[in-house]
Amino acid sequence: MQPLLQLKGIDKAFPGVKALSGAALSVYPGKVMALVGENGAGKSTMMKVLTGIYEKDAGSQYFLGKEVVFKGPKDSQDAGIGIIHQELNLIPQLTIAENIFLGREFVNGFGCIDWKRMYAETDRLLDRLNLRYSSHRLVGELSIGDQQMVEIAKVLSFESKVIIMDEPTDALTDTETASLFKVIDELKTEGCGIVYISHRLKEIFEICDDVTVFRDGRFIVECPVNELQEDRLVEMMVGRKLEAQYPRLKLPRGEKCLQVKHLSGPGVNDASFTLYRGEILGVAGLMGAGRTELMKIIYGAVPRKAGSVTLDGHEVIAHSPQDGLENGIVYISEDRKRDGLVLGMSVKENMSLTALRYFSRAGGSLKQADEQQAVSDFIRLFNIKTPSMEQSIGLLSGGNQQKVAIARGLMTRPKVLILDEPTRGVDVGAKKRDL
């Protein structure tokens, strides 16, 4: 079968790191090509080269049988290639319809925006994804999962020949994932080619036809999914065998650590639970059930209306995240881009940002050697792929950014660590090793 899209021998380097070396990818009509690899394997970089966000250093790219060079994302978009990025790219202050058609609004015969048509078309897209929101709803009022569905709707509006989905289900519920898979099946019947990037291996075997494996920026193999077992796929991704993907450690339960009684606030009503030392307490619920809101109230990021929080026998009253940190409570957000990291700062600055008191002298100056040693230790412990701790964190892969966010929480030496969707964008090897 002739591929719709083909990349051969792609090289891409950044200061201090070779992100891609001889990488290759083929996308076929009516098929879903999985692209898998560890964090930092080069998957997202390859997609940015493909769509013209990054300029390749070497290699060739063919689309619909012709060699192409895209000068930017608009070029690739106009040619018929759409991408759903791992990180959300929406404007919270605009409506769903305004986000989806931003920069390409429908215009009537008088040269004015045809709002009626734009909102009607958006409602059609939302209905296709089984989203029950009005297209007039502000994006900032939506959950992370619903914002992800808006990103998907935006790409569907382009009617692309090739669609790239970079970790599309990371923030979705099972119901939303099922709606997405239904749309993918429809796109396949229309002859669309799809690149599907995910660390959720179950989804690879459920929805994908073929798989391409990257490791350390290099192409490893392309083969049909039905010829692989999960263990073999993991082995090709990480370059070694994993004996147990999610080993369970049995530890004795310690003393009572955190007690929450009748806690209420925005999105939460009369919540109570008890956490013991050495225990991992899971908090589950559907999207919008109040899981994130409950954790933010405990941490101090959202105001408390009623109830109490007791830590080590002492009541905690947190009016701000700073209060939470000072009491030994750390919250790692599900939205690292908005709440978790400062993308313009370095890996070192992000990791030590909330723990600077441990590296400060009495006069206020910083013990830089101690800070660098602590950051270096966490980079090694979490296997964070970065050329140096001075690298801008915005240049790291999403999974490596997530590792930095978790390491920053641990650097404050918390009594209680709250992890909200901590494995978002994290590969299967890192889940076992780090979490």
Side-chain angles (χ1 to χ4, degrees):
M1 182 183 291
Q2 193 72 15
L4 286 171
L5 177 71
Q6 192 170 36
L7 292 91
K8 299 178 178 178
I10 303 297
D11 288 358
K12 180 62 184 176
F14 299 101
V17 62
K18 188 75 175 284
L20 295 172
S21 180
L25 177 69
S26 297
V27 185
Y28 303 95
K31 286 193 170 186
V32 180
M33 174 63 75
L35 179 57
V36 300
E38 289 190 285
N39 297 134
K43 306 181 296 296
S44 293
T45 301
M46 186 71 154
M47 296 306 98
K48 289 176 180 177
V49 168
L50 188 163
T51 54
I53 296 172
Y54 291 159
E55 183 179 350
K56 63 182 180 291
D57 298 332
S60 54
Q61 180 174 337
Y62 299 87
F63 184 53
L64 303 179
K66 297 180 180 178
E67 187 166 6
V68 294
V69 178
F70 297 129
K71 298 297 185 182
K74 192 173 188 310
D75 273 3
S76 59
Q77 183 178 294
D78 291 344
I81 299 174
I83 182 168
I84 303 164
H85 290 284
Q86 182 178 356
E87 304 291 348
L88 298 172
N89 290 286
L90 301 171
I91 300 175
Q93 296 79 13
L94 297 183
T95 65
I96 295 174
E98 288 168 335
N99 268 281
I100 288 176
F101 290 103
L102 186 63
R104 52 195 185 92
E105 294 83 357
F106 295 115
V107 178
N108 59 27
F110 298 101
C112 299
I113 295 176
D114 190 340
W115 293 103
K116 185 177 179 180
R117 182 184 173 193
M118 192 169 79
Y119 282 112
E121 181 64 19
T122 301
D123 285 333
R124 185 187 68 80
L125 290 167
L126 297 180
D127 186 62
R128 187 178 184 185
L129 289 168
N130 201 31
L131 262 184
R132 302 306 176 197
Y133 285 116
S134 165
S135 54
H136 293 77
R137 185 82 175 264
L138 291 177
V139 161
E141 297 174 354
L142 305 180
S143 68
I144 297 300
D146 287 336
Q147 289 184 34
Q148 183 69 64
M149 293 297 275
V150 172
E151 286 278 20
I152 294 167
K154 182 165 65 174
V155 169
L156 293 179
S157 72
F158 294 123
E159 299 183 354
S160 306
K161 299 179 182 68
V162 171
I163 295 179
I164 301 155
M165 300 184 176
D166 194 350
E167 302 284 358
T169 64
D170 255 6
L172 303 187
T173 64
D174 290 344
T175 301
E176 290 166 336
T177 298
S179 296
L180 173 61
F181 285 180
K182 181 182 176 183
V183 171
I184 289 175
D185 286 335
E186 292 172 1
L187 292 169
K188 286 173 63 177
T189 61
E190 295 168 6
C192 185
I194 295 169
V195 180
Y196 194 89
I197 303 173
S198 180
H199 293 298
R200 298 183 175 184
L201 300 187
K202 177 178 175 289
E203 294 178 1
I204 301 298
F205 288 92
E206 182 177 350
I207 197 67
C208 299
D209 301 290
D210 303 290
V211 60
T212 296
V213 179
F214 278 15
R215 188 167 69 239
D216 297 326
R218 298 177 182 275
F219 169 84
I220 301 300
V221 71
E222 176 194 316
C223 63
V225 168
N226 60 17
E227 294 181 5
L228 284 174
Q229 298 291 327
E230 186 173 313
D231 290 346
R232 175 58 181 155
L233 180 58
V234 172
E235 185 179 344
M236 290 191 294
M237 287 168 56
V238 303
R240 64 189 185 281
K241 285 189 177 182
L242 290 183
E243 298 303 326
Q245 287 189 30
Y246 307 108
R248 187 177 183 86
L249 301 176
K250 288 188 176 181
L251 296 173
R253 190 164 78 168
E255 300 173 349
K256 187 185 296 183
C257 176
L258 181 74
Q259 188 162 35
V260 175
K261 288 185 177 181
H262 309 296
L263 202 64
S264 296
V268 178
N269 183 38
D270 198 24
S272 299
F273 66 84
T274 301
L275 175 69
Y276 295 84
R277 292 193 182 282
E279 179 182 58
I280 298 174
L281 177 66
V283 179
L286 297 175
M287 201 71 69
R291 300 165 302 170
T292 294
E293 290 81 358
L294 173 60
M295 297 304 125
K296 285 187 173 181
I297 292 171
I298 295 170
Y299 180 55
V302 172
R304 182 197 313 178
K305 292 182 180 177
S308 64
V309 176
T310 304
L311 180 60
D312 291 338
H314 302 286
E315 186 172 3
V316 174
I317 300 175
H319 297 294
S320 68
Q322 185 63 37
D323 291 340
L325 288 169
E326 289 177 357
N327 281 282
I329 300 173
V330 167
Y331 170 75
I332 308 299
S333 172
E334 65 174 340
D335 188 354
R336 59 177 173 263
K337 184 176 180 181
R338 187 176 67 181
D339 300 330
L341 300 170
V342 184
L343 298 181
M345 294 172 67
S346 69
V347 171
K348 181 188 72 176
E349 290 166 331
N350 269 279
M351 197 181 292
S352 65
L353 190 60
T354 55
L356 291 177
R357 64 183 182 276
Y358 296 114
F359 310 116
S360 299
R361 296 185 178 90
S365 61
L366 202 61
K367 301 175 185 175
Q368 294 188 4
D370 291 350
E371 179 194 20
Q372 291 173 0
Q373 184 61 56
V375 171
S376 178
D377 289 343
F378 273 105
I379 288 174
R380 184 174 62 255
L381 178 67
F382 278 65
N383 193 30
I384 298 169
K385 293 185 178 179
T386 177
S388 81
M389 66 179 67
E390 301 299 338
Q391 176 83 324
S392 171
I393 199 165
L395 296 178
L396 269 58
S397 70
N400 282 299
Q401 289 180 11
Q402 184 72 359
K403 292 179 186 179
V404 172
I406 296 171
R408 181 173 73 181
L410 291 173
M411 193 175 282
T412 64
R413 308 168 193 175
K415 297 176 181 177
V416 174
L417 178 65
I418 301 171
L419 299 169
D420 194 349
E421 299 288 354
T423 61
R424 190 178 182 196
V426 177
D427 66 67
V428 64
K431 287 176 185 176
K432 176 188 176 183
R433 180 181 59 247
D434 303 331
L435 298 175

